[in-house]
Amino acid sequence: MLEYCATSPDHVFNADSGEELIEAYRSWLPVSDATPVITLREGATPLIPSQALASRIGRGVRVFLKYDGLNPTGSFKDRGMTMAISKAKEAGSEAVICASTGNTSAAAAAYARRGGMRAFVLIPDGYVAQGKLAQALLYGAQVIAIQGNFDRALAIVQDVANQYPVTLVNSVNPYRLQGQKTAAFEVVDALGEAPDWLCIPVGNAGNITAYWMGFQEYRQAGLSNQLPRMLGFQAAGSAPLVLGHTVEQPDTIATAIRIGNPVNRDNALRVEAESGGGFMAVTDAEIIDAYKLLGSEEGVFCEPASAASVAGLLKRRAEVPAGATVVCVLTGNGLKDPATAIENNDAPFHTGLEADTAKVAEVMGF
Ligand code: F0G
């Protein structure tokens, strides 16, 4: 694991400046003047208050949604990818590779192509949401769909990167986590303090590790007085960190976190111990309930995996201390997976109606 010490802890991000993430937090990141910054203006995503969630918990609890689905390729992966691709470019790399449940492949493809590099992405055939596949293809990656799950794809790309001149940009690449830790900086910059609880979906456990790194660095620099409890939520059919062992055949509607053997397992267990946090499973039904609630009551469209953080908070609501501040991380944009939205909603949808004003008024209830 790459260690990096902040050099000028007084830099506070200015969301209005239009700076890309690496410029906004340059002193906290392992970059130099020699690093070519490959950017799509990622980061600076909104922290949205959620009254619908706060009122379900009560007791003066405040809830915020860190909506990282508003990054350029629609997920938090862009934070890590601007770093990983910039550093790969600096090192003279001409090609990158990753395994992915979809979002990493979209981000890797976009940033690699922007940096003039080739991108190879391995995905589990049939288990990547349509929007993500569309992105990887449109950005011009070579997409290789294998008959196996994400865990198998990751093992293959690690082998390939060891044997051939391609840079691995999965979250075992330390620059990925360096970039992703900036989300924690933004949360503290926005709240003026670290939250009491940070609820986050967990697959490969890179993001929870990165957030913890960010919170710790800000605390060490005196920019916050406290550290959050880190609560990681996995889908019940893909919950190796909850069960304490690898899941051979992971299964969940939240395909982004359909992972049975998280590569950052040791880091995840360290974060749990250091933060007094925990891992918990949420069922697909609980994930879909939270997903629908966010859309229909808050106007926030996230992808199913992201809603695991909210499903988890609601499941543990009785344990939230009175007056606490909670942040739920929404990792990806709902538009990534339109099929799941179309199949899981309670909206009245009238199809094939005659094009007639009276008929329209009638179904409107007038
Ligand atoms: N949420 C979304 C939307 C994701 O795409 C992922 C991971 C996670 C949560 C979990 O993050 O792995 O750092 O614990 N997606 C990876 C991918 C595996 O290939 O896009 P994690």
Side-chain angles (χ1 to χ4, degrees):
M1 170 63 50
L2 181 141
E3 292 293 332
Y4 181 71
C5 268
T7 49
S8 73
D10 54 353
H11 184 102
V12 172
F13 179 68
N14 175 4
D16 297 329
S17 68
E19 281 180 304
E20 58 256 24
L21 182 153
I22 289 178
E23 290 313 323
Y25 292 109
R26 178 171 275 274
S27 64
W28 302 84
L29 296 168
V31 289
S32 71
D33 292 344
T35 312
V37 175
I38 313 297
T39 176
L40 287 161
R41 294 287 193 273
E42 53 293 314
T45 57
L47 191 66
I48 305 170
S50 173
Q51 192 49 44
L53 293 173
S55 63
R56 276 174 173 78
I57 299 171
R59 291 175 287 116
V61 171
R62 296 193 303 162
V63 182
F64 296 88
L65 308 167
K66 179 61 172 166
Y67 190 25
D68 247 2
L70 288 186
N71 275 296
T73 78
S75 86
F76 72 99
K77 306 287 182 180
D78 295 347
R79 298 179 179 278
M81 214 51 82
T82 185
M83 276 298 300
I85 298 293
S86 297
K87 295 301 284 189
K89 186 82 181 165
E90 181 180 350
S93 176
E94 292 176 2
V96 303
I97 192 167
C98 68
S100 182
T101 56
N103 282 324
T104 301
S105 67
Y111 284 80
R113 302 300 284 168
R114 196 165 171 84
M117 282 176 263
R118 299 170 74 196
F120 298 91
V121 306
L122 260 73
I123 57 171
D125 204 352
Y127 289 93
V128 168
Q130 206 177 16
K132 306 175 188 182
L133 179 59
Q135 288 179 290
L137 293 168
L138 187 89
Y139 296 137
Q142 280 201 38
V143 179
I144 304 163
I146 62 156
Q147 293 170 18
N149 61 30
F150 169 86
D151 305 296
R152 188 73 196 105
L154 184 58
I156 294 172
V157 297
Q158 286 179 303
D159 277 351
V160 171
N162 280 335
Q163 293 173 38
Y164 303 97
V166 288
T167 302
L168 184 63
V169 293
N170 279 104
S171 59
V172 286
N173 178 323
Y175 299 119
R176 280 276 311 278
L177 301 191
Q178 287 291 321
Q180 286 175 212
K181 76 183 178 186
T182 60
F185 296 165
E186 289 178 16
V187 167
V188 179
D189 288 345
L191 294 174
E193 179 56 278
D196 298 293
W197 279 28
L198 193 284
C199 299
I200 185 168
V202 174
N204 234 352
N207 211 26
I208 194 170
T209 305
Y211 262 90
W212 184 239
M213 196 189 323
F215 285 126
Q216 283 187 308
E217 288 184 12
Y218 253 32
R219 167 87 192 280
Q220 277 154 17
L223 291 176
S224 68
N225 295 314
Q226 65 173 34
L227 290 166
R229 282 185 72 187
M230 303 289 285
L231 285 311
F233 296 101
Q234 300 204 287
S238 309
L241 292 166
V242 181
L243 298 170
H245 59 77
T246 297
V247 175
E248 294 298 337
Q249 306 282 350
D251 187 33
T252 170
I253 194 170
T255 52
I257 51 173
R258 185 175 169 272
I259 294 174
N261 187 19
V263 73
N264 291 294
R265 180 191 308 262
D266 293 346
N267 283 327
L269 297 176
R270 180 178 52 79
V271 172
E272 178 184 28
E274 289 178 3
S275 78
F279 293 100
M280 199 175 185
V282 284
T283 65
D284 280 5
E286 289 165 337
I287 288 173
I288 292 299
D289 282 350
Y291 170 74
K292 287 164 59 176
L293 183 160
L294 286 167
S296 63
E297 294 192 35
E298 294 294 20
V300 174
F301 189 18
C302 67
E303 62 173 285
S306 306
S309 63
V310 170
L313 170 62
L314 291 174
K315 199 161 184 167
R316 296 187 77 152
R317 77 181 101 181
E319 296 164 53
V320 184
T325 299
V326 180
V327 171
C328 293
V329 181
L330 300 185
T331 44
N333 195 304
L335 292 169
K336 296 266 191 179
D337 187 357
T340 301
I342 288 167
E343 283 160 25
N344 296 277
N345 66 79
D346 298 325
F349 183 24
H350 311 280
T351 55
L353 195 74
E354 199 182 316
D356 176 78
T357 304
K359 292 264 165 36
V360 171
E362 191 186 322
V363 297
M364 289 171 75
F366 293 114

